[in-house]
Amino acid sequence: QVKLVESGGGLVQAGASLRLSCVGSGRTFSRYGMGWFRQAPGKDREFVAAISWTGGNTWYEDSVKGRFTISRDDARSTLYLQMNSLKPEDTAVYYCVGSRYSDLRRYDYEYDYWGQGTQVTVSS
């Protein structure tokens, strides 16, 4: 079992930056492919980004490419999401996820572990 706890969300203006963190505990964090999903009010949950267990491969949803960067520090069992040039449409609850698969995955059913979520609100 892996427990994931996110932090770093908040209220910012459009164009600002935020860095989300996710600390994992339990089974060996470094063995898991990791990712971020988000869910805006009244919308379906959507994939944001994924990173392989080595950290060498990443994958982004088209709307965040070039603005968001996913990274991991296995020594600290921590996953990050650096979000730059934030837009109002990025407003959502962001979830840290972990997968038993070590490679890149983009569907929610491929992830076994979910954090509680952290709210990101971007005002115009």
Side-chain angles (χ1 to χ4, degrees):
Q1 190 74 10
V2 175
K3 182 179 180 182
L4 302 172
V5 180
E6 304 98 333
S7 62
L11 171 63
V12 296
Q13 290 189 327
S17 298
L18 278 175
R19 187 176 79 159
L20 304 183
S21 299
C22 170
V23 178
S25 60
R27 292 193 173 184
T28 307
F29 182 86
S30 62
R31 295 180 181 175
Y32 295 89
M34 303 294 295
W36 292 93
F37 281 73
R38 66 186 180 186
Q39 187 165 22
K43 295 187 176 182
D44 292 336
R45 188 163 56 194
E46 67 171 354
F47 167 79
V48 176
I51 188 166
S52 62
W53 72 284
T54 64
N57 294 299
T58 57
W59 192 8
Y60 297 93
E61 193 268 332
D62 287 346
S63 69
V64 307
K65 282 181 182 176
R67 300 189 298 122
F68 290 12
T69 302
I70 187 171
S71 62
R72 63 192 299 163
D73 183 344
D74 290 338
R76 291 181 168 81
S77 297
T78 303
L79 178 73
Y80 300 101
L81 185 68
Q82 177 67 44
M83 305 185 295
N84 299 328
S85 302
L86 283 161
K87 304 176 181 180
E89 51 264 43
D90 294 318
T91 295
V93 176
Y94 284 70
Y95 297 92
C96 169
V97 294
S99 173
R100 63 189 180 278
Y101 301 106
S102 58
D103 57 356
L104 301 173
R105 301 283 165 160
R106 70 169 296 141
Y107 297 106
D108 56 6
Y109 61 80
E110 296 176 303
Y111 287 90
D112 306 285
Y113 306 107
W114 291 73
Q116 83 288 350
T118 185
Q119 177 71 47
V120 172
T121 303
V122 185
S123 63
S124 57

